[in-house]
Amino acid sequence: MSRLDTFIRRLQAQRLCLDALADRLQGLPGPVLELGLGNGRTYDHLRERFPGRPIFVFDRQVAAHPDCIPPADQLRLGDFRETLPAYAAEGQPPAVLIHADIGSGDKAASMQLAADLAPSWARILAPGGFLASDQAVEHPLWTPVPLPPGVDAGRYHLYCREN
Ligand SMILES: C[S@@+](CC[C@H](N)C(=O)[O-])C[C@H]1O[C@@H](n2cnc3c(N)ncnc32)[C@H](O)[C@@H]1O
């Protein structure tokens, strides 16, 4: 499979997963967290699929398309390892969805980053809430959820926090 194919399939998987979760999360109140603003593509999609909800966005820096810059009060800039614990201490309502699009070209480092962040995600995620991640990440608080049709196993990872 070419790198172009891999890229396209990753974006398709993201969209299918986020769309499926938007349907499942209707009626469950709470903010959405976007980890990895990047170009702003998935942030823009979340804005469309979760209208009216606060979307708190995390990244080292803002390098997004000008149309996809979050409002300052919903932006947390810095290393995830520092901004997530700080966010967890803010006392915001539990999040219904954490979307972690945090991977780099270094697979081992990306997996380690997800493992490092899992305790903060567990603090932030609401009972019944979902984690959608580009990295597999285990935690006793959540269980894997089947992927939507059209998403190959391992391409994206969905988890639900039990009550
Ligand atoms: C794959 S990109 C996100 C793409 C984005 N979701 C989009 O649709 O355009 C990953 C992002 O995570 C950020 N990132 C990676 N590791 C980070 C860390 N430890 N702390 C803060 N940001 C980090 C990078 O700066 C990058 O913007």
Side-chain angles (χ1 to χ4, degrees):
M1 188 184 297
S2 72
R3 289 176 62 85
L4 178 62
D5 288 330
T6 303
F7 180 68
I8 289 169
R9 287 189 190 201
R10 185 170 77 83
L11 299 191
Q12 286 174 330
Q14 283 182 323
R15 185 176 58 186
L16 286 164
C17 289
L18 296 179
D19 288 353
L21 293 179
D23 287 343
R24 286 182 71 159
L25 286 168
Q26 279 181 25
L28 185 66
V32 169
L33 266 61
E34 166 79 328
L35 273 80
L37 174 64
N39 185 268
R41 279 183 288 252
T42 51
Y43 169 62
D44 195 32
H45 199 69
L46 288 169
R47 285 193 302 196
E48 279 195 16
R49 292 295 184 270
F50 292 87
R53 290 191 200 247
I55 304 176
F56 291 95
V57 181
F58 298 74
D59 206 305
R60 280 199 189 91
Q61 73 274 317
V62 173
H65 187 280
D67 291 345
C68 303
I69 309 242
D73 64 338
Q74 294 177 12
L75 190 57
R76 302 292 183 273
L77 291 182
D79 192 289
F80 296 142
R81 293 180 179 92
E82 294 170 8
T83 52
L84 271 170
Y87 174 86
E90 284 181 25
Q92 301 284 355
V96 291
L97 171 62
I98 297 173
H99 176 228
D101 187 15
I102 61 175
S104 63
D106 185 336
K107 185 63 188 167
S110 301
M111 289 180 67
Q112 184 60 55
L113 178 60
D116 291 346
L117 300 178
S120 289
W121 293 341
R123 282 179 68 193
I124 292 165
L125 197 59
F130 287 84
L131 167 66
S133 175
D134 64 345
Q135 310 298 318
V137 55
E138 293 182 6
H139 191 279
L141 213 58
W142 54 67
T143 51
V145 173
L147 294 164
V151 182
D152 293 340
R155 196 163 293 283
Y156 234 61
H157 307 274
L158 299 185
Y159 305 94
C160 184
R161 182 189 160 165
E162 305 300 335
N163 289 319

mmCIF file of all heavy atoms in Angstrom, residues 88-113:
data_model
loop_
_atom_site.group_PDB
_atom_site.id
_atom_site.type_symbol
_atom_site.label_atom_id
_atom_site.label_comp_id
_atom_site.label_asym_id
_atom_site.label_seq_id
_atom_site.Cartn_x
_atom_site.Cartn_y
_atom_site.Cartn_z
ATOM 1 N N ALA A 88 -7.097 19.020 33.650
ATOM 2 C CA ALA A 88 -7.853 18.156 34.570
ATOM 3 C C ALA A 88 -8.071 18.849 35.909
ATOM 4 O O ALA A 88 -9.068 18.580 36.590
ATOM 5 C CB ALA A 88 -7.113 16.830 34.762
ATOM 6 N N ALA A 89 -7.148 19.729 36.280
ATOM 7 C CA ALA A 89 -7.271 20.437 37.566
ATOM 8 C C ALA A 89 -8.155 21.679 37.467
ATOM 9 O O ALA A 89 -8.442 22.314 38.481
ATOM 10 C CB ALA A 89 -5.875 20.837 38.057
ATOM 11 N N GLU A 90 -8.591 22.032 36.241
ATOM 12 C CA GLU A 90 -9.401 23.244 36.074
ATOM 13 C C GLU A 90 -10.814 23.094 36.622
ATOM 14 O O GLU A 90 -11.486 24.083 36.883
ATOM 15 C CB GLU A 90 -9.526 23.606 34.576
ATOM 16 C CG GLU A 90 -8.319 24.233 33.963
ATOM 17 C CD GLU A 90 -8.554 24.563 32.497
ATOM 18 O OE1 GLU A 90 -9.729 24.753 32.081
ATOM 19 O OE2 GLU A 90 -7.566 24.603 31.736
ATOM 20 N N GLY A 91 -11.276 21.857 36.714
ATOM 21 C CA GLY A 91 -12.649 21.645 37.178
ATOM 22 C C GLY A 91 -13.688 21.778 36.079
ATOM 23 O O GLY A 91 -14.855 22.071 36.358
ATOM 24 N N GLN A 92 -13.283 21.564 34.830
ATOM 25 C CA GLN A 92 -14.253 21.565 33.720
ATOM 26 C C GLN A 92 -15.163 20.340 33.856
ATOM 27 O O GLN A 92 -14.789 19.341 34.473
ATOM 28 C CB GLN A 92 -13.525 21.504 32.375
ATOM 29 C CG GLN A 92 -12.563 22.634 32.111
ATOM 30 C CD GLN A 92 -13.247 23.933 31.728
ATOM 31 O OE1 GLN A 92 -14.475 23.979 31.572
ATOM 32 N NE2 GLN A 92 -12.476 24.990 31.618
ATOM 33 N N PRO A 93 -16.349 20.388 33.266
ATOM 34 C CA PRO A 93 -17.218 19.196 33.285
ATOM 35 C C PRO A 93 -16.525 18.019 32.589
ATOM 36 O O PRO A 93 -15.693 18.225 31.691
ATOM 37 C CB PRO A 93 -18.457 19.636 32.489
ATOM 38 C CG PRO A 93 -18.401 21.117 32.443
ATOM 39 C CD PRO A 93 -16.962 21.513 32.547
ATOM 40 N N PRO A 94 -16.846 16.787 33.001
ATOM 41 C CA PRO A 94 -16.239 15.615 32.342
ATOM 42 C C PRO A 94 -16.497 15.625 30.830
ATOM 43 O O PRO A 94 -17.566 16.020 30.379
ATOM 44 C CB PRO A 94 -16.928 14.437 33.027
ATOM 45 C CG PRO A 94 -17.423 14.978 34.328
ATOM 46 C CD PRO A 94 -17.755 16.421 34.088
ATOM 47 N N ALA A 95 -15.515 15.163 30.081
ATOM 48 C CA ALA A 95 -15.600 15.196 28.612
ATOM 49 C C ALA A 95 -16.336 13.965 28.089
ATOM 50 O O ALA A 95 -16.126 12.849 28.579
ATOM 51 C CB ALA A 95 -14.189 15.242 28.017
ATOM 52 N N VAL A 96 -17.187 14.176 27.090
ATOM 53 C CA VAL A 96 -17.885 13.040 26.467
ATOM 54 C C VAL A 96 -17.027 12.371 25.403
ATOM 55 O O VAL A 96 -17.232 11.205 25.070
ATOM 56 C CB VAL A 96 -19.229 13.441 25.826
ATOM 57 C CG1 VAL A 96 -20.229 13.809 26.888
ATOM 58 C CG2 VAL A 96 -19.064 14.555 24.811
ATOM 59 N N LEU A 97 -16.084 13.133 24.850
ATOM 60 C CA LEU A 97 -15.218 12.581 23.801
ATOM 61 C C LEU A 97 -13.828 13.191 23.921
ATOM 62 O O LEU A 97 -13.688 14.416 24.023
ATOM 63 C CB LEU A 97 -15.791 12.889 22.411
ATOM 64 C CG LEU A 97 -14.889 12.554 21.214
ATOM 65 C CD1 LEU A 97 -14.577 11.057 21.149
ATOM 66 C CD2 LEU A 97 -15.539 13.005 19.901
ATOM 67 N N ILE A 98 -12.827 12.328 23.929
ATOM 68 C CA ILE A 98 -11.445 12.758 23.762
ATOM 69 C C ILE A 98 -10.979 12.184 22.433
ATOM 70 O O ILE A 98 -10.983 10.956 22.251
ATOM 71 C CB ILE A 98 -10.548 12.254 24.908
ATOM 72 C CG1 ILE A 98 -11.011 12.849 26.245
ATOM 73 C CG2 ILE A 98 -9.088 12.603 24.627
ATOM 74 C CD1 ILE A 98 -10.287 12.275 27.458
ATOM 75 N N HIS A 99 -10.617 13.081 21.515
ATOM 76 C CA HIS A 99 -10.065 12.632 20.238
ATOM 77 C C HIS A 99 -8.572 12.891 20.274
ATOM 78 O O HIS A 99 -8.129 14.055 20.353
ATOM 79 C CB HIS A 99 -10.706 13.373 19.062
ATOM 80 C CG HIS A 99 -10.067 12.994 17.765
ATOM 81 N ND1 HIS A 99 -9.646 13.903 16.832
ATOM 82 C CD2 HIS A 99 -9.740 11.767 17.260
ATOM 83 C CE1 HIS A 99 -9.104 13.266 15.809
ATOM 84 N NE2 HIS A 99 -9.144 11.965 16.049
ATOM 85 N N ALA A 100 -7.797 11.829 20.246
ATOM 86 C CA ALA A 100 -6.341 11.928 20.328
ATOM 87 C C ALA A 100 -5.733 11.592 18.982
ATOM 88 O O ALA A 100 -5.659 10.422 18.596
ATOM 89 C CB ALA A 100 -5.825 10.976 21.409
ATOM 90 N N ASP A 101 -5.336 12.637 18.275
ATOM 91 C CA ASP A 101 -4.673 12.484 16.961
ATOM 92 C C ASP A 101 -3.258 12.990 17.155
ATOM 93 O O ASP A 101 -2.914 14.100 16.745
ATOM 94 C CB ASP A 101 -5.445 13.294 15.916
ATOM 95 C CG ASP A 101 -4.923 13.059 14.505
ATOM 96 O OD1 ASP A 101 -4.169 12.088 14.287
ATOM 97 O OD2 ASP A 101 -5.273 13.852 13.619
ATOM 98 N N ILE A 102 -2.440 12.171 17.821
ATOM 99 C CA ILE A 102 -1.188 12.661 18.398
ATOM 100 C C ILE A 102 0.045 12.042 17.766
ATOM 101 O O ILE A 102 1.160 12.368 18.154
ATOM 102 C CB ILE A 102 -1.170 12.390 19.913
ATOM 103 C CG1 ILE A 102 -1.255 10.881 20.207
ATOM 104 C CG2 ILE A 102 -2.303 13.145 20.596
ATOM 105 C CD1 ILE A 102 -1.119 10.537 21.686
ATOM 106 N N GLY A 103 -0.167 11.167 16.796
ATOM 107 C CA GLY A 103 0.958 10.394 16.279
ATOM 108 C C GLY A 103 1.926 11.224 15.447
ATOM 109 O O GLY A 103 1.546 12.182 14.786
ATOM 110 N N SER A 104 3.177 10.805 15.521
ATOM 111 C CA SER A 104 4.221 11.359 14.653
ATOM 112 C C SER A 104 4.763 10.194 13.832
ATOM 113 O O SER A 104 4.245 9.080 13.896
ATOM 114 C CB SER A 104 5.332 11.976 15.509
ATOM 115 O OG SER A 104 5.942 10.965 16.279
ATOM 116 N N GLY A 105 5.823 10.428 13.087
ATOM 117 C CA GLY A 105 6.424 9.345 12.311
ATOM 118 C C GLY A 105 7.092 8.292 13.175
ATOM 119 O O GLY A 105 7.421 7.206 12.675
ATOM 120 N N ASP A 106 7.298 8.584 14.447
ATOM 121 C CA ASP A 106 8.003 7.683 15.362
ATOM 122 C C ASP A 106 6.970 6.869 16.145
ATOM 123 O O ASP A 106 6.384 7.356 17.112
ATOM 124 C CB ASP A 106 8.877 8.518 16.303
ATOM 125 C CG ASP A 106 9.733 7.650 17.213
ATOM 126 O OD1 ASP A 106 9.363 6.482 17.462
ATOM 127 O OD2 ASP A 106 10.758 8.164 17.696
ATOM 128 N N LYS A 107 6.711 5.641 15.692
ATOM 129 C CA LYS A 107 5.624 4.837 16.270
ATOM 130 C C LYS A 107 5.836 4.571 17.764
ATOM 131 O O LYS A 107 4.909 4.686 18.569
ATOM 132 C CB LYS A 107 5.527 3.503 15.506
ATOM 133 C CG LYS A 107 4.366 2.623 15.931
ATOM 134 C CD LYS A 107 3.017 3.285 15.642
ATOM 135 C CE LYS A 107 1.865 2.507 16.228
ATOM 136 N NZ LYS A 107 0.606 3.263 16.235
ATOM 137 N N ALA A 108 7.081 4.217 18.130
ATOM 138 C CA ALA A 108 7.339 3.905 19.541
ATOM 139 C C ALA A 108 7.102 5.139 20.414
ATOM 140 O O ALA A 108 6.492 5.043 21.491
ATOM 141 C CB ALA A 108 8.766 3.389 19.707
ATOM 142 N N ALA A 109 7.565 6.290 19.943
ATOM 143 C CA ALA A 109 7.369 7.520 20.727
ATOM 144 C C ALA A 109 5.886 7.872 20.812
ATOM 145 O O ALA A 109 5.406 8.334 21.864
ATOM 146 C CB ALA A 109 8.156 8.665 20.094
ATOM 147 N N SER A 110 5.133 7.646 19.740
ATOM 148 C CA SER A 110 3.698 7.963 19.751
ATOM 149 C C SER A 110 2.954 7.060 20.737
ATOM 150 O O SER A 110 2.069 7.523 21.476
ATOM 151 C CB SER A 110 3.111 7.787 18.348
ATOM 152 O OG SER A 110 3.768 8.625 17.431
ATOM 153 N N MET A 111 3.314 5.791 20.744
ATOM 154 C CA MET A 111 2.670 4.863 21.686
ATOM 155 C C MET A 111 3.032 5.214 23.131
ATOM 156 O O MET A 111 2.193 5.152 24.026
ATOM 157 C CB MET A 111 3.061 3.425 21.358
ATOM 158 C CG MET A 111 2.419 2.934 20.075
ATOM 159 S SD MET A 111 2.878 1.247 19.692
ATOM 160 C CE MET A 111 2.077 0.365 21.013
ATOM 161 N N GLN A 112 4.266 5.610 23.332
ATOM 162 C CA GLN A 112 4.677 6.003 24.686
ATOM 163 C C GLN A 112 3.941 7.265 25.120
ATOM 164 O O GLN A 112 3.522 7.390 26.282
ATOM 165 C CB GLN A 112 6.197 6.231 24.734
ATOM 166 C CG GLN A 112 6.723 6.544 26.130
ATOM 167 C CD GLN A 112 6.441 5.409 27.119
ATOM 168 O OE1 GLN A 112 6.819 4.270 26.874
ATOM 169 N NE2 GLN A 112 5.762 5.730 28.226
ATOM 170 N N LEU A 113 3.770 8.198 24.183
ATOM 171 C CA LEU A 113 3.038 9.429 24.507
ATOM 172 C C LEU A 113 1.611 9.085 24.941
ATOM 173 O O LEU A 113 1.114 9.600 25.946
ATOM 174 C CB LEU A 113 3.041 10.378 23.301
ATOM 175 C CG LEU A 113 2.277 11.684 23.458
ATOM 176 C CD1 LEU A 113 2.832 12.518 24.611
ATOM 177 C CD2 LEU A 113 2.315 12.499 22.145
#
